[in-house]
């Protein structure tokens, strides 16, 4: 009901507080994991022996969400959101503003459930992304060039058609769904993990993964990694509030988000031990290493965790068991060729 009354902003700033207040529990992540199991893949967790040789004896494990359906972890949160939305609501159709992996996940999940998806993209969206969403049967509409243009278009569509919004990062159902990747990796490591490292853009993965991990074992360190060019949560934590940063140029297109939302800020502040910012050069080096040493096709955004290791920002001492989420593998072929 609330979503139907949106105007300019997607969500009232305080609604989530009501939802969150003592109501989100780690058991919600386990329930989500059960709920979405027919729609998401249990992705492989592999030990990166070749990468390990570059460091001081820590075990490095990679959780391969690049092998997830649609090529990124985003399906976890999206499927949880859509499976917790009432059928009558879903039947009206869903909408999302995204030109990236979130768009693919929403389109894919809508197709799986037999509902209509309308994706709002910028007028200059890459052809491959438009094709990707259309390939899963979604309708693509274009709205200006800024995030605000897209938000307004989304709100218009919701008002006009009653579509259900699947927001990429400020929805507790999405955040909890993303948390399943952490629980799954922890299970695959038989509960024996010293540190979890996740990339961080808008911070919904970091929110959900850290919430899940700390809920199971508060001794496990959680580190979120962002590009130095978009140091959103580094700055937000410094200022102790959700804020907007000036965005530089980063190759990690999934992490180009300049505005922190409160829900993600507060969850990261409360559950993430450390936010690390990495250079562009290390991201490129990490992509090469993952591709050529580990034979894993990862997109730039997925490589920031390994970039943090390369910059000596992670304790890699002997015996530590580190898990890094390789978040996606959707990268333009010519860009990938150029980087490799
Ligand atoms: C969305 C995305 C991220 C960042 O996730 P946030 O929840 O926005 O922080 C990282 N890597 C890939 C591949 C993504 O698609």
């Amino acid at each position: 009901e609330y979503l139907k009354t949106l105007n300019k902003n997607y969500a009232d700033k305080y609604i989530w507080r009501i939802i969150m207040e003592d109501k989100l529990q780690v058991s919600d992540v386990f329930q989500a994991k059960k709920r979405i199991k027919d729609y998401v893949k249990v992705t492989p967790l592999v030990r990166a022996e070749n990468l390990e040789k570059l460091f001081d004896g820590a075990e490095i494990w990679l959780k391969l969400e690049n092998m997830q359906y649609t090529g990124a972890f985003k399906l976890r949160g999206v499927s949880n959101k859509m499976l917790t939305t009432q059928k009558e609501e879903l039947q009206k159709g869903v909408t999302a503003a995204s030109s990236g992996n979130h768009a693919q996940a929403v389109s894919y999940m809508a197709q799986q459930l037999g509902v209509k998806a309308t994706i709002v993209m910028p007028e200059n969206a890459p052809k491959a992304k438009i094709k990707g969403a259309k390939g899963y049967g979604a309708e693509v509409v274009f709205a200006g060039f800024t995030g605000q243009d897209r938000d307004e278009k989304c709100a218009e569509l919701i008002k006009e058609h009653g579509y259900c919004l699947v927001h990429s990062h400020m929805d507790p159902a999405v955040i909890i769904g993303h948390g399943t990747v952490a629980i799954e990796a922890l299970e695959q490591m038989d509960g024996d993990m010293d540190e979890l490292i996740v990339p961080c853009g808008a911070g919904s993965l970091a929110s959900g993964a850290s919430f899940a991990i700390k809920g199971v074992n508060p001794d496990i360190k959680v580190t979120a990694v962002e590009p130095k060019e978009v140091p959103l949560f580094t700055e937000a934590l410094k200022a102790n509030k959700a804020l907007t940063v000036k965005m530089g140029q980063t190759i990690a297109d999934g992490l180009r988000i300049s505005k922190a939302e409160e829900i993600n800020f507060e969850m990261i502040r409360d559950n993430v031990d450390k936010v690390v910012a990495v250079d562009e050069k290390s991201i490129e080096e990490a992509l090469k290493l993952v591709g050529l040493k580990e034979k894993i096709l990862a997109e730039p955004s997925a490589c920031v965790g390994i970039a943090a290791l390369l910059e000596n920002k992670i304790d890699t001492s002997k015996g530590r068991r580190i898990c890094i989420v390789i978040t996606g593998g959707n990268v333009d072929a010519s860009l990938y060729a150029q980087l490799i």
Side-chain angles (χ1 to χ4, degrees), residues 225 278-279 282-284 286 303-313:
V225 188
V278 293
D279 287 324
S282 337
I283 301 174
E284 292 183 21
C303 297
V304 293
I306 290 162
L309 261 69
L310 292 174
E311 291 188 7
N312 293 318
K313 288 180 168 145

Side-chain angles (χ1 to χ4, degrees), residues 260-317:
E261 298 297 343
E262 272 184 57
I263 183 170
N264 305 120
F265 167 70
E266 294 198 7
M267 289 183 85
I268 287 173
R269 182 197 59 198
D270 293 348
N271 297 304
V272 169
D273 295 281
K274 195 164 73 172
V275 175
V276 164
V278 293
D279 287 324
E280 292 300 299
K281 231 176 69 212
S282 337
I283 301 174
E284 292 183 21
E285 181 63 22
L287 181 138
K288 253 190 271 186
L289 284 172
V290 189
L292 298 176
K293 295 246 185 250
E294 295 300 334
K295 329 296 176 191
I296 290 163
L297 200 162
E299 63 182 274
S301 302
C303 297
V304 293
I306 290 162
L309 261 69
L310 292 174
E311 291 188 7
N312 293 318
K313 288 180 168 145
I314 307 293
D315 175 5
T316 53
S317 54

Side-chain angles (χ1 to χ4, degrees), residues 65 71-74 100-102 168-169 174-175 178 198-207 225 233 253-257 264 268 299-304 325-330:
E65 288 293 302
F73 75 92
K74 293 281 199 303
N101 289 333
H102 181 66
S168 61
H169 54 277
V174 169
I175 292 169
H178 289 343
V198 294
C200 184
S204 59
L205 172 63
S207 299
V225 188
F233 285 94
D253 56 331
L255 311 180
R256 284 182 199 142
I257 288 119
N264 305 120
I268 287 173
E299 63 182 274
S301 302
C303 297
V304 293
V325 182
I326 302 296
T327 42
N330 294 324

Side-chain angles (χ1 to χ4, degrees), residues 12 32 38 76 94 138 141 153 164 208 233 246 256 258 267 274-275 285 293-294 306 328 335:
D12 180 271
D38 292 337
R76 292 178 180 271
V94 295
V141 301
K153 184 76 200 169
C164 170
F233 285 94
K246 238 183 96 199
R256 284 182 199 142
S258 59
M267 289 183 85
K274 195 164 73 172
V275 175
E285 181 63 22
K293 295 246 185 250
E294 295 300 334
I306 290 162
L335 172 65

Side-chain angles (χ1 to χ4, degrees), residues 118-134:
T118 307
I119 308 294
V120 181
M121 291 191 183
E123 280 167 36
N124 60 349
K127 293 235 161 34
K129 307 274 178 179
I130 303 167
K131 248 176 102 180
K134 283 188 175 167

